[in-house]
Amino acid sequence: MIMKILKRLSPTCILFISPAFVITGCTFTTSRLNRENDKNDAEKVTNKFYAMVKAKKYDDMYDLFSFKFWAVTSVKKMNDIYTMTQNKLGDIVDLKLSDWQTKVVSGTDPFAEYQLIYHNHRQKFDSKETFVLMRDTDDVIRIVAYDIKSDGFLK
């Protein structure tokens, strides 16, 4: 049926109609890689995380984690991690963001992922702590993965 209609239209008219079909079938997105402002947005979350760790307010930090994190990690397990880290590695003396990556896609299918890697000096042993954060459906950046490595865990 479309072909019959197109045969009756003049070539000039087809030139104006064709882009309309193409445009309506497209999705519009823009992406940003490793933008400083995006890193700063993710750092706000990790700064809150570390402030609560330093104050030993572990129960106050659960909202910083995404439902995706809690789907695979229990609150008890997370509390055990905090306690073991504190006992084996000691308090945080100095935080140092050593590497980061961000990818933010805006438009029809928005997506935001951030990775921050810290090399932290602690009282007993240093640690390398990696955070993966994503923007949740409520437009809040939350932690979806947290990994801590240190030789102190082996001692």
Side-chain angles (χ1 to χ4, degrees):
M1 180 167 150
I2 292 175
M3 292 306 289
K4 286 182 184 180
I5 294 170
L6 289 177
K7 285 182 183 179
R8 285 191 243 154
L9 297 175
S10 70
T12 307
C13 187
I14 291 172
L15 285 175
F16 290 108
I17 293 174
S18 297
F21 285 118
V22 172
I23 290 172
T24 58
C26 293
T27 57
F28 295 100
T29 60
T30 59
S31 62
R32 305 183 304 260
L33 292 175
N34 301 328
R35 196 175 78 150
E36 190 77 25
N37 287 349
D38 296 327
K39 177 199 64 136
N40 294 340
D41 290 343
E43 271 189 301
K44 289 175 186 173
V45 178
T46 56
N47 288 342
K48 286 179 188 176
F49 173 88
Y50 283 123
M52 291 178 196
V53 166
K54 286 180 179 181
K56 296 176 181 59
K57 293 184 176 183
Y58 306 132
D59 291 335
D60 293 346
M61 66 175 57
Y62 298 125
D63 287 340
L64 298 177
F65 291 86
S66 171
F67 68 92
K68 293 175 184 178
F69 180 87
W70 296 120
V72 297
T73 306
S74 70
V75 171
K76 181 188 179 332
K77 183 175 181 179
M78 200 63 203
N79 283 335
D80 292 346
I81 290 170
Y82 295 140
T83 303
M84 181 179 61
T85 301
Q86 179 64 35
N87 292 339
K88 294 241 180 200
L89 307 182
D91 290 331
I92 296 171
V93 175
D94 186 44
L95 297 172
K96 182 183 177 202
L97 179 63
S98 61
D99 195 18
W100 59 277
Q101 296 178 38
T102 66
K103 181 178 182 181
V104 177
V105 177
S106 303
T108 309
D109 297 317
F111 171 83
E113 183 175 77
Y114 316 83
Q115 181 182 39
L116 304 177
I117 301 171
Y118 290 84
H119 283 95
N120 298 331
H121 178 64
R122 291 176 172 266
Q123 284 176 324
K124 300 175 187 176
F125 292 94
D126 291 348
S127 62
K128 176 183 175 186
E129 300 179 38
T130 303
F131 294 86
V132 176
L133 305 98
M134 295 182 84
R135 190 173 298 276
D136 267 348
T137 55
D138 61 357
D139 208 34
V140 175
I141 298 171
R142 290 195 175 90
I143 301 165
V144 294
Y146 171 66
D147 181 56
I148 181 167
K149 295 180 180 167
S150 175
D151 290 341
F153 291 127
L154 303 174
K155 310 256 179 199

